[in-house]
């Protein structure tokens, strides 16, 4: 599972460099996220701009990561492509996450919120 | 018929089968919205077979048939795994508005998505085989 | 699955197959209107195979599968006869208002009736076999 | 093909004593009708009250009989059951024939018309 983390203004930005988060990689995605979020940043921004496809297993994995972060830490989403956005909307998970058009907007939004 | 394939029931094979299916559908010049719905419904239905119909370690197989007609795209999925709960395809739970993060479900969306995206779904058990057929309403040309 | 039958393609056998099918459907407690639509669409689709798919004297066979689910009754008909004209199921001509008795057609209503009564019809040719599948919307219980 | 003819007030009433007029018997029905309508009555009433089922072949056969009678002779229909009525309505053939609830109504109607 290709994913990379970088620090930007107190935020940890994690970019998924895979076209799909589906049942075949959901576990690896969760593991990767747990490793990368060992970093103590309170706000994690997940950059999904390279992800063309996410199924319900992928969605479940994103939710699981968010719950794993626990209280006091936040997982925001950025750069969702249309097909990924659709899954979040259909399952109403779009109301659970803060969603930004891209990481810059997310960092700005995060700066405002904090 | 657009395509007929059979493969061993693994998540990796489902991914490959979906990739092939989407290539097969290219000549239909689907709207991106239509294509992504088909891709999603295929993932949900096929991964469900891997996850629920077969026990881990089972040498299970999946058959996938795609047909195209004026009524849209007809998707037929067969497997030899265990039957659906109560012999019926699950209705799928409607998503709720979640009050607390701790309550958030991490699964159980599969059948809800299938029901939302697919039409005229019929599930049947025939000679020890699960038979699932449904239609995707795609642009008539 | 409600039933699966195969029989030699003759008008008499079609009649018997329809009779058996209607008996199979009895437990569904269909409305008389629904039952008569199913009986008619079966007659039109099956007799078309006898009449058009096979040449007189052909040893043709017909396979009929009935399945029932939330989406209604799914009817699948297969034969090894000639393909539909232009590889597509005919649209069926709309009936006209006939001015003179001499102009009255004595045939050609089959596909019009099928199209009126059936939903989501898909025709396909697979390995030299005609595959016709359609749905009858019957009361959900 | 069981069918019988009787004369009633200048009308020839032909009753079909079979539950189905379908592709399996359409030709025999036409032949039977041609034999029975050798009778010179100008008005023929076809009593379909025993017929539960008629398909497009049966419909075609009824139309064929009507055309065969030719000008100056008329084929009226009586006693159609719901399933038979539906086929005539769907194909708009109900506008081509004079249709009566039963043979008595047909005979009365015929008496009026003549
Ligand atoms: N193909 C299948 N074969 C057998 N059982 C299934 C199948 N698909 C789903 N199920 C059952 O239906 C339930 C609901 O499925 P679904 O909505 O997809 O949720 P999940 O996210 O748990 O897969 C599953 O937990 C399982 O018990
Ligand atoms: N099952 C079939 N296989 C091949 N050709 C068919 C089939 N059904 C119909 N056709 C073709 O479509 C035409 C229209 O059919 P239909 O509307 O049923 O009229 P008809 O009353 O002549 O059967 C037929 O004349 C025939 O050429």
């Amino acid at each position: 599972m290709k994913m990379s983390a970088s620090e930007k203004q107190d935020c940890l930005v994690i970019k998924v460099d895979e076209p799909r988060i589906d049942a075949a990689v959901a576990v690896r995605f969760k593991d990767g996220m747990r490793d990368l979020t060992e970093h103590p940043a309170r706000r994690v921004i997940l950059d999904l701009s390279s992800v063309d496809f996410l199924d319900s297993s992928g969605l479940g994995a994103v939710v699981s990561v968010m719950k794993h972060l626990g209280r006091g830490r936040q997982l925001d989403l950025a750069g969702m492509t249309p097909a990924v956005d659709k899954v979040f909307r259909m399952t109403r998970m779009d109301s659970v996450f803060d969603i930004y058009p891209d990481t810059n907007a997310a960092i700005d939004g995060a700066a405002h919120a904090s | 018929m657009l395509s007929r394939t059979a493969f061993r029931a693994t998540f990796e094979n489902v991914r490959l089968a979906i990739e092939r299916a989407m290539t097969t559908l290219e000549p239909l010049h689907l709207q991106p919205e239509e294509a992504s719905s088909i891709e999603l419904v295929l993932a949900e239905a096929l991964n469900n077979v891997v996850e629920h119909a077969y026990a881990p370690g089972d040498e299970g197989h999946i058959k996938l048939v795609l047909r195209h007609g004026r009524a849209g795209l007809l998707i037929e999925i067969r497997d030899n795994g265990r039957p659906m709960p109560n012999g019926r395809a699950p209705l799928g739970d409607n998503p709720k508005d979640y009050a607390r993060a701790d309550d958030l479900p991490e699964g159980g969306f599969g059948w809800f998505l299938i029901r939302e995206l697919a039409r005229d779904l019929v599930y049947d058990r025939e000679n020890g085989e699960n038979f699932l057929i449904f239609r995707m309403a795609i642009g008539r040309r």
Side-chain angles (χ1 to χ4, degrees), chain B residues 78-91:
Chain B
R78 290 165 181 271
D79 66 77
N80 293 292
R82 73 169 67 98
M84 297 280 182
N86 310 313
R88 291 174 173 254
L91 277 179

Side-chain angles (χ1 to χ4, degrees), chain A residues 20-58:
Chain A
R20 305 174 78 84
I21 308 182
D22 60 12
V25 297
V27 172
R28 268 175 282 160
F29 169 77
K30 270 193 281 194
D31 291 348
M33 286 297 287
R34 283 182 197 191
D35 289 350
L36 293 171
T37 55
E38 298 274 294
H39 183 288
R42 279 192 26 222
R43 212 170 274 273
V44 178
I45 298 168
L46 183 61
D47 180 355
L48 294 169
S49 56
S50 295
V51 179
D52 300 324
F53 181 79
L54 172 135
D55 65 10
S56 70
S57 303

